Structures are given as structure tokens and as C-alpha cells.
Amino acid sequence: QVSPGLRTPRLPVWLCSVSGRHGVLFGTDSRLLSDWKSERIFRLYFYSGQQQQTQTAHLTIDTHSHHWEEAQREDPCSPGKRHPALEMAIRTKWAGATVSWNGTDPFF
């Protein structure tokens, strides 16, 4: 029999397979599971176990950012900004969200 803790986690956890590599994206705020208001600005953590990752990445997710403001700051001659695959995976849950890597170089 499956434990109730495995069927209904107490903290948000997602197993990710991005670009053929696996990792765990998780949060420490249990309100993300039950209170949509807490999905405004929140932190998620990502760990892949890959050799190039020496510590857990601390990500700040902003679901109410204004994506058009970011586009205005881009160089008009640039062909477009590419986002890391993990950011695109996060946007499958929170469309249009901005992801801050908080000083860590995006590696995944």
C-alpha cells in the first residue's frame, strides 16, 4: 500500500527530464500546493546530480512579471533571447513567468 505522504506530498516536488537529463525541482513552501495566492513570487530549488552542478540552484519565480518590459531592454538587433531548458519547463506550469537564477549561471 502506498503511503499517504507519497500520494499527497507535503511539499511541492517535480521530477524533471529536460534535454535527456534528469533532476529534481522542489520548493520548501507547502502553500504552493494549496494556495494559488502564494504563486506570485516564490523560490524553487533544482538539483540534478550532474558533475557540473556543485550545489543546489536557488531559483526565484515571478509569475506576474511583465514579459514585455524585458523585451524592451533587449538589443533590437539581436535575433531573440534563448532561455535555458529548465526555465521553459517551469513555464509549462507557470506560463509567462520569469526565472531568476540568483547569480548562478544557468547550466541545465
Side-chain angles (χ1 to χ4, degrees):
Q1 183 175 12
V2 176
S3 164
L6 292 175
R7 289 182 292 192
T8 308
R10 293 186 180 149
L11 296 172
V13 175
W14 296 273
L15 299 176
C16 303
S17 176
V18 181
S19 302
R21 293 183 285 172
H22 298 87
V24 178
L25 184 66
F26 61 97
T28 57
D29 185 356
S30 62
R31 293 177 303 155
L32 281 174
L33 295 171
S34 59
D35 184 10
W36 61 270
K37 294 176 205 155
S38 64
E39 292 184 1
R40 168 70 169 90
I41 296 177
F42 55 94
R43 293 187 69 110
L44 292 178
Y45 304 91
F46 182 76
Y47 184 73
S48 68
Q50 301 289 324
Q51 283 183 329
Q52 66 267 28
Q53 185 180 7
T54 57
Q55 59 185 336
T56 303
H58 301 264
L59 309 173
T60 301
I61 315 300
D62 184 352
T63 61
H64 289 86
S65 61
H66 302 288
H67 62 277
W68 58 85
E69 292 173 354
E70 181 181 336
Q72 289 176 354
R73 289 191 299 259
E74 270 186 37
D75 180 7
C77 299
S78 71
K81 185 176 180 182
R82 293 191 58 172
H83 296 283
L86 182 60
E87 288 184 28
M88 300 309 291
I90 290 170
R91 288 187 185 110
T92 63
K93 170 100 173 115
W94 295 285
T98 58
V99 179
S100 170
W101 287 74
N102 298 310
T104 302
D105 289 330
F107 57 87
F108 199 85

